[in-house]
Amino acid sequence: MMSNLDPDPHETISGGRAGVATEPVRELLEGRDVVLGGTRGMSVVRTLPNKERRMVGAWCFVDSFGPESVNGGPGMRVAPHPHTGLQTVTWLVQGEVLHRDSLANQQLIHPGQLNLMTAGRGISHAEESPTGHGPVLQGVQLWVALPDEHRGVAPSFDHHRDLPDLVDGGVRVRVLMGELGGALAGEGSPARAYSSLVGAEVAFDRDAETRVGLEPDFEYAAVTLSGAVEVDGVLLSPGSLLYLGCGRVDLALRAEQPGRLLLLGGEPFDEEIIMWWNFIGRSHDEIVRAREDWMTGRGFGEVRGYDGEPLPAPAMPTSTLKPRGRLR
Ligand code: MN
């Protein structure tokens, strides 16, 4: 996890306005189990890209993992691999993960903290459970596509230990990126975003409810991380993504039992992109070049300190792909 380790990835073409719901909708989209490659074969649930819908704002990848017992074992072991054209957002519910990258950053992350890696024109990183890790690992890995005008930025990494923490009765919100409105409006996240978007975790005590303020020009979706949360009247359990469309000024949320929801939104992403393996580009040829650069040791630096070999890129699909609409 923390990476697309699929040994036979397909190019996914996303973006553009064609599929954006301009009115509020409630589309329940099932995630799929993806067994990631590597020696441990860890399993994740991928709700974006989904065969019905590939982006929500600039959010283009949502992998949920755990809760999984890592007691007595090595836990997560994701060897060095490259990224281009995106930001990775790492958010934990339980456990801890150690990040190392080709800029010589080394950062342990705990639940409630944010690791934000901006790949820009190219970076490589590794993620693993640290020595002496806890017994359970649970979290989510998200990717944000960078707009064309920013996707060539220099790579960077930021760890945010203290995110805005907003409370409304039995509901607590942590804003990962962007900002929320309504009763839970407050200062926005300090995390650097390159398009207008929001990502927030909403945690519920027993029998808690709230109404979050939304931006009518944004499209939104929700993913439950734990428990079951009622989102605009739809009971949402882990494993599915509820697409909510645009045109909303607020959103009713409630939970009977303690639970956690991830709310994602953003201005619909106008540009069409191509995602393949861990790269986001604008053309098939660009993806081919990024793959070649990684395989020949150019442009992605070196991750030091990881006990293992870097991940080789899978073979490219033989067909040439061109960007097209965001739905199919
Ligand atoms: Mn990665």
Side-chain angles (χ1 to χ4, degrees):
M1 63 199 74
M2 304 302 166
S3 154
N4 188 354
L5 299 180
D6 187 338
D8 183 24
H10 300 282
E11 272 182 329
T12 303
I13 296 143
S14 312
R17 288 252 167 186
V20 175
T22 55
E23 299 293 315
V25 296
R26 295 179 297 183
E27 291 177 13
L28 191 61
L29 307 177
E30 266 188 60
R32 62 193 173 98
D33 294 328
V34 177
V35 177
L36 301 177
T39 50
R40 308 283 172 230
M42 296 181 91
S43 178
V44 303
V45 178
R46 185 164 300 160
T47 44
L48 272 187
N50 191 287
K51 72 180 196 298
E52 312 292 337
R53 189 164 291 283
R54 293 185 172 138
M55 295 182 82
V56 177
W59 300 99
C60 59
F61 188 91
V62 178
D63 267 6
S64 303
F65 51 91
E68 176 165 327
S69 171
V70 292
N71 206 11
M76 176 187 288
R77 293 270 300 154
V78 179
H81 60 277
H83 287 288
T84 59
L86 56 88
Q87 293 177 292
T88 65
V89 173
T90 303
W91 183 256
L92 298 181
V93 176
Q94 298 186 77
E96 55 282 298
V97 168
L98 178 64
H99 160 100
R100 300 178 209 264
D101 63 41
S102 52
L103 304 176
N105 294 296
Q106 180 172 318
Q107 180 66 54
L108 188 62
I109 182 174
H110 297 280
Q113 304 173 346
L114 172 68
N115 271 2
L116 177 65
M117 185 178 79
T118 301
R121 60 178 176 257
I123 196 169
S124 55
H125 72 150
E127 286 163 302
E128 60 186 315
S129 298
T131 306
H133 59 78
V136 179
L137 184 60
Q138 182 184 7
V140 65
Q141 159 100 128
L142 312 166
W143 294 356
V144 178
L146 294 175
D148 192 52
E149 63 174 313
H150 297 301
R151 67 196 184 93
V153 296
S156 61
F157 174 81
D158 297 291
H159 176 72
H160 296 281
R161 195 178 308 271
D162 299 303
L163 295 169
D165 195 358
L166 313 161
V167 177
D168 176 25
V171 180
R172 195 182 71 192
V173 172
R174 281 216 185 86
V175 183
L176 283 62
M177 297 184 80
E179 59 190 320
L180 277 179
L184 289 160
E187 60 177 311
S189 166
R192 174 125 194 221
Y194 291 85
S195 59
S196 296
L197 55 77
V198 66
E201 185 200 66
V202 189
F204 297 84
D205 293 343
R206 186 181 306 275
D207 284 326
E209 61 185 321
T210 191
R211 191 170 275 273
V212 294
L214 302 186
E215 178 61 53
D217 293 338
F218 282 14
E219 57 180 341
Y220 289 89
V223 176
T224 295
L225 300 177
S226 63
V229 179
E230 209 179 289
V231 181
D232 190 18
V234 178
L235 189 63
L236 185 62
S237 296
S240 301
L241 177 144
L242 183 67
Y243 179 69
L244 296 161
C246 297
R248 294 174 181 269
V249 295
D250 59 14
L251 182 67
L253 303 172
R254 65 183 294 271
E256 291 183 2
Q257 302 295 330
R260 280 173 197 272
L261 185 80
L262 190 66
L263 180 65
L264 303 173
E267 192 171 19
F269 199 79
D270 279 332
E271 301 167 25
E272 294 185 331
I273 64 174
I274 297 183
M275 290 174 61
W276 181 81
W277 195 43
N278 296 302
F279 304 128
I280 293 184
R282 296 296 185 276
S283 70
H284 178 81
D285 290 348
E286 187 189 324
I287 299 286
V288 169
R289 277 197 304 277
R291 181 190 179 281
E292 284 175 2
D293 284 349
W294 172 246
M295 294 304 282
T296 54
R298 290 192 306 251
F300 292 101
E302 188 185 344
V303 180
R304 297 183 186 276
Y306 182 84
D307 184 18
E309 293 298 309
L311 281 177
M316 285 294 298
T318 49
S319 56
T320 299
L321 288 116
K322 299 185 180 72
R324 53 170 201 252
R326 62 167 29 221
L327 288 181
R328 292 263 173 179

